[in-house]
Amino acid sequence: MMLAVLVALETGRGSSMYNNNVGNISASPNYAGMVWRPPWFDPAEAAGNPRNEALHREMLAGRAPSAFRAYEGIQDGARDFARVVAKNFPEVLAASLVPNADTFRAALARKYSPDYANPAATKSIAKLMSEYGITPGGAAGGTGVLMMLALAWLGWRLLKR
C-alpha cells in the first residue's frame, strides 16, 4: 500500500502520469526503451515558464531528468515500476512493508530521490496514508496485508531473475 502512496506522490495522484509511466521513472542516457522528454528539455519550450526554465538549468547541471521512460500500456509501466523499485531501491520496498510516514520518506531520500530529503514530505505521505486507510505500523485491513504481501513477493521474484 505504501507503494501506492509513492505512485500518488510521483504522479500528482495520476494527473502527471505520462506514457503509462506509473512511477514517473526517469530514463538514464543508456536506457534503450521508449522515452518521453519533459517540457523543460527544450529551452524554447521552457521559455516563459519560470519552473520549466529552472528545471532546464537543473537538467543541464545533471540535477533534473532529461527524459522519462515511456510504455506501450499501463501493465508495462506498472511491471517496470515494480522491477525498478525491487532491484534499485530495496530500502524503499522494505520501508513500504511497515507503514510509517517518516521512515518511508527517509528511505526514499536515501537513494530514490533527493526531493524526499525535506522532512516536510512526511506530512504529504501521512496525508495519503490516512486517505488510503493505511495505519502507521499496521496495514489497511486484509486488503492492505494482501497488497503488501503481493508486492513483497513480486519484488522477491524480480530480484531472483
Side-chain angles (χ1 to χ4, degrees), residues 13 16 44 46-47 56 69 81 92 102 106 109 114 124 139 149:
R13 297 176 185 240
S16 295
H56 181 75
R69 295 179 181 198
F81 173 71
V92 171
D102 199 53
S124 298
L149 288 173

Side-chain angles (χ1 to χ4, degrees), residues 10 24 47 50 69 79 113 121 124 137 139 147:
E10 288 292 316
N24 276 345
R69 295 179 181 198
R79 189 178 304 112
S113 171
S124 298
M147 176 70 114

Side-chain angles (χ1 to χ4, degrees), residues 12-37:
R13 297 176 185 240
S15 66
S16 295
M17 182 177 73
Y18 302 101
N19 299 294
N20 300 304
N21 189 335
V22 172
N24 276 345
I25 303 167
S26 59
S28 66
N30 62 351
Y31 177 69
M34 296 186 310
V35 299
W36 169 77
R37 299 285 183 189

Side-chain angles (χ1 to χ4, degrees), residues 1-156:
M1 291 297 286
M2 293 299 287
L3 293 182
V5 168
L6 177 57
V7 168
L9 288 168
E10 288 292 316
T11 66
R13 297 176 185 240
S15 66
S16 295
M17 182 177 73
Y18 302 101
N19 299 294
N20 300 304
N21 189 335
V22 172
N24 276 345
I25 303 167
S26 59
S28 66
N30 62 351
Y31 177 69
M34 296 186 310
V35 299
W36 169 77
R37 299 285 183 189
W40 61 82
F41 180 77
D42 181 355
E45 190 176 345
N49 181 314
R51 180 179 180 275
N52 286 343
E53 289 174 348
L55 284 167
H56 181 75
R57 287 189 298 276
E58 291 293 302
M59 178 193 74
L60 293 175
R63 294 185 298 264
S66 62
F68 292 88
R69 295 179 181 198
Y71 305 95
E72 299 257 345
I74 193 81
Q75 298 86 354
D76 297 328
R79 189 178 304 112
D80 196 41
F81 173 71
R83 186 192 62 74
V84 167
V85 170
K87 181 179 178 195
N88 299 337
F89 307 103
E91 64 280 355
V92 171
L93 191 59
S96 75
L97 298 176
V98 182
N100 177 288
D102 199 53
T103 300
F104 193 60
R105 179 205 56 81
L108 292 168
R110 277 199 259 325
K111 190 170 134 188
Y112 188 84
S113 171
D115 295 344
Y116 296 103
N118 183 346
T122 298
K123 185 177 178 182
S124 298
I125 293 169
K127 183 178 181 201
L128 285 165
M129 286 174 65
S130 176
E131 288 177 21
Y132 294 168
I134 304 169
T135 57
T143 304
V145 170
L146 290 175
M147 176 70 114
M148 286 189 281
L149 288 173
L151 288 170
W153 177 83
L154 178 61
W156 176 79

